């Protein structure tokens, strides 16, 4: 009975040492008699008891690694307190086991030295503006060395950049000055645009007034021309009617009578003025001669 129990215990030990179940996204490194033999993949695996052993176990998932805060000096000799986080993944279990005694510490130290080197090439202002470039350069520097460790560096992110308090105060003052400058520029641009708008309005108003005055002068001239034309047309029509009337029977006698009446009216008007000296012709036949002369002029014009 005791022998059976011993055999059962030995069998259980053999089974437990020979059968290994590897979880998903894991890789186990097997050594046979102290030498690398192979890597177990996820699932059921069989080993030779007391000959094979699991030497290393690696997680193949993406692993975040917090990089300790450190002081970096920029190109313009400004100290920065920088901390970040690194994301990596084991891609080769064998190299991760034998390439470095501790690849996590190696990656962490290399990330710090690479970060100091990258920031040392930049000025203070550039470190805030070019975070993506800094992250990319750190990843490139680490990834080249991490290939021998069976590790792939995926990305690096700077969590915080903290300059000294004096630099912070100077930066705040600079930002305030820049904002005040932009405000003054905006106000001056507003005043300039206002003056331009006023000048443009006055110019357009002057042009409109001058156009109105020009049109008024044109309209007045056209009105006067039309009035003169109308008067001339009326005078011409009147003359034509008088000429036509003269050609009628008795027309000349009527004109003689009219001229005589005008002459009498003129003498009467002169005689009524007390300040005027009236000289009466000695021979009244001169009046008839004047009338005859006027009639000859009328006939000639006809």
């Amino acid at each position: 009975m005791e022998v059976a129990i011993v055999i059962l215990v030995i069998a259980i030990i053999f089974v437990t040492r020979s059968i290994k179940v590897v979880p998903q996204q894991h890789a186990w490194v097997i050594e046979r008699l102290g030498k690398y033999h192979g890597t177990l993949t996820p699932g059921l695996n069989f080993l030779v008891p007391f000959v094979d052993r699991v030497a290393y176990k690696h997680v193949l998932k993406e692993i975040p690694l917090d990089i300790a805060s450190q002081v970096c000096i920029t190109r313009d000799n400004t100290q920065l307190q920088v901390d970040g986080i690194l994301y990596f993944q084991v891609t080769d279990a064998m190299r991760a086991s034998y390439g470095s005694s501790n690849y996590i510490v190696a990656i962490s130290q290399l990330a710090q030295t690479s970060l100091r080197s990258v920031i040392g090439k930049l000025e203070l202002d550039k470190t805030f503006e070019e975070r993506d470039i800094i992250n990319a350069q750190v990843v490139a520097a680490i990834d080249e060395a991490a290939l021998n460790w069976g590790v792939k560096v995926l990305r690096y992110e700077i969590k915080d950049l903290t300059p000294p308090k004096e630099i912070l105060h100077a930066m705040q003052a600079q930002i305030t000055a820049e904002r005040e400058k932009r405000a003054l520029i905006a106000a001056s641009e507003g005043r300039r645009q206002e003056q331009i708008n006023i000048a443009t309005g006055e110019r357009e108003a002057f042009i409109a007034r001058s156009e109105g005055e020009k049109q008024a002068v044109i309209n007045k001239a056209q009105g006067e021309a039309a009035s003169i034309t109308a008067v001339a047309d009326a005078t011409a029509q009147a003359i034509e009617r008088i000429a036509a009337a003269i050609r009628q029977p008795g027309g000349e006698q009527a004109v003689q009578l009219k001229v005589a009446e005008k002459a009498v009216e003129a003498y009467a008007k002169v005689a009524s003025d007390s300040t005027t000296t009236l000289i009466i012709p000695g021979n009244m036949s001169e009046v008839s001669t004047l009338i005859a002369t006027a009639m000859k002029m009328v006939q000639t014009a006809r």
Side-chain angles (χ1 to χ4, degrees):
M1 185 65 181
E2 294 179 357
V3 176
I5 293 173
V6 172
I7 294 174
L8 179 61
V9 171
I10 294 174
I12 292 173
I13 293 173
F14 266 82
V15 170
T16 55
R17 294 183 67 91
S18 61
I19 297 176
K20 297 295 181 180
V21 178
V22 180
Q24 184 65 34
Q25 286 296 93
H26 286 70
W28 293 359
V29 174
I30 302 301
E31 292 182 352
R32 176 168 293 180
L33 300 177
K35 182 180 178 181
Y36 172 76
H37 177 67
T39 302
L40 299 182
T41 58
L44 182 64
N45 295 271
F46 296 95
L47 304 179
V48 178
F50 303 104
V51 177
D52 297 338
R53 73 180 185 91
V54 178
Y56 301 97
K57 295 181 179 181
H58 298 285
V59 179
L60 303 182
K61 299 177 184 179
E62 182 176 340
I63 301 173
L65 177 62
D66 190 27
I67 305 301
S69 178
Q70 62 177 332
V71 176
C72 300
I73 300 176
T74 63
R75 184 178 179 181
D76 49 357
N77 296 323
T78 302
Q79 293 183 351
L80 284 177
Q81 192 76 22
V82 186
D83 61 346
I85 185 169
L86 182 71
Y87 296 87
F88 71 95
Q89 186 178 20
V90 175
T91 56
D92 189 333
M94 190 271 289
R95 289 189 176 185
S97 301
Y98 303 106
S100 174
S101 60
N102 191 332
Y103 61 85
I104 294 179
V105 175
I107 292 174
S108 177
Q109 294 297 321
L110 185 57
Q112 288 182 328
T113 56
S114 300
L115 181 62
R116 287 196 297 268
S117 175
V118 172
I119 291 181
K121 299 176 182 178
L122 300 174
E123 295 181 355
L124 178 62
D125 294 338
K126 294 296 183 180
T127 58
F128 296 99
E129 299 173 2
E130 300 181 358
R131 285 196 177 192
D132 293 339
I133 297 176
I134 295 174
N135 296 337
Q137 291 181 357
V138 171
V139 169
I142 301 174
D143 194 41
E144 184 178 356
L147 290 176
N148 296 326
W149 306 331
V151 176
K152 174 66 176 177
V153 178
L154 302 176
R155 60 188 179 276
Y156 177 82
E157 297 291 340
I158 295 177
K159 293 194 297 183
D160 193 15
L161 283 172
T162 307
K165 293 182 179 180
E166 296 79 7
I167 301 297
L168 283 177
H169 292 322
M171 293 173 65
Q172 289 292 336
Q174 182 180 3
I175 292 173
T176 303
E178 286 292 334
R179 289 178 178 175
E180 292 177 352
K181 176 183 176 182
R182 287 197 295 268
L184 291 175
I185 292 174
S188 64
E189 287 292 335
R191 290 192 296 270
R192 174 175 173 270
Q193 190 61 41
E194 179 184 4
Q195 293 175 358
I196 291 173
N197 293 339
I198 292 174
T200 302
E202 292 177 351
R203 184 187 66 181
E204 292 178 354
F206 177 78
I207 292 173
R209 286 195 299 270
S210 63
E211 288 292 335
E213 293 173 356
K214 173 184 175 183
Q215 191 63 40
V217 171
I218 292 173
N219 293 339
K220 182 179 179 181
Q222 290 177 349
E224 291 177 352
S227 175
I228 293 172
T229 302
V231 171
D233 291 341
T235 303
Q237 291 177 3
I239 293 173
E240 289 177 358
R241 289 181 181 179
I242 292 172
I246 291 174
R247 288 193 295 269
Q248 297 295 326
E252 294 183 2
Q253 292 78 6
V255 171
Q256 292 176 1
L257 178 61
K258 191 67 175 176
V259 171
E261 288 178 353
K262 292 294 184 180
V264 172
E265 289 178 359
Y267 278 114
K269 184 176 181 182
V270 172
S272 63
D273 190 355
S274 60
T275 62
T276 304
T277 301
L278 178 62
I279 300 175
I280 300 174
N283 188 2
M284 294 303 294
S285 62
E286 294 180 0
V287 177
S288 60
T289 302
L290 178 62
I291 294 173
T293 303
M295 287 304 298
K296 285 181 182 181
M297 293 177 63
V298 170
Q299 290 175 359
T300 301
R302 183 175 59 181

